Amino acid sequence: EAGLPRHHRRVLSRDVLVPLLWTLARLLAVPYALISCVLPRLPLTARSHALSRRYAWHLALGAALATRLLPALQWALRSVHNSIRDDKYLIGRRLNNHAKHEGDTSASYAPPSSSSAQG
């Protein structure tokens, strides 16, 4: 048999082509259904109807991208927030340790030397 074996064609269609075609169909069908079913029932001007027809697919594509990108953005912002919070906690802990051990020379934290700043 020439070409791809039957098993590989089935896997290719199930794992690659069907999800891709389903996504494309959804991106085309949802705006069309909104334009043809919902939009005529709304009391909008002719210009509003024309603009909504023109930009419906752009909005659908933007919404699809937003659903993919917003969780990644949320994770990035949460990790930055946690990093800043942890840095503030560690600085406060160092200051408290320094105040407790200012007379003790065997303190676990030694402030940075300023010899390099004097040069």
Side-chain angles (χ1 to χ4, degrees):
E1 182 175 324
L4 289 173
R6 176 175 282 167
H7 173 69
H8 292 297
R9 279 185 274 169
R10 188 177 305 134
V11 169
L12 177 70
S13 67
R14 184 186 68 223
D15 293 341
V16 177
L17 294 177
V18 170
L20 180 67
L21 291 175
W22 180 253
T23 302
L24 288 175
R26 187 177 53 209
L27 283 175
L28 291 173
V30 170
Y32 180 77
L34 288 175
I35 289 171
S36 62
C37 296
V38 176
L39 198 63
R41 291 186 172 98
L42 297 176
L44 299 174
T45 63
R47 183 173 181 199
S48 299
H49 282 283
L51 286 175
S52 61
R53 284 187 191 97
R54 178 178 291 171
Y55 293 112
W57 282 276
H58 298 93
L59 292 173
L61 183 61
L65 286 174
T67 58
R68 296 286 185 180
L69 295 178
L70 284 179
L73 180 64
Q74 183 183 13
W75 176 83
L77 290 175
R78 182 176 288 135
S79 66
V80 167
H81 172 266
N82 291 342
S83 175
I84 291 170
R85 182 198 63 210
D86 293 344
D87 287 345
K88 285 182 180 181
Y89 170 74
L90 291 175
I91 289 172
R93 191 167 172 197
R94 285 182 194 149
L95 291 174
N96 286 337
N97 285 344
H98 182 66
K100 287 179 186 175
H101 302 291
E102 62 184 15
D104 188 8
T105 58
S106 65
S108 61
Y109 170 75
S113 63
S114 59
S115 62
S116 61
Q118 292 174 356

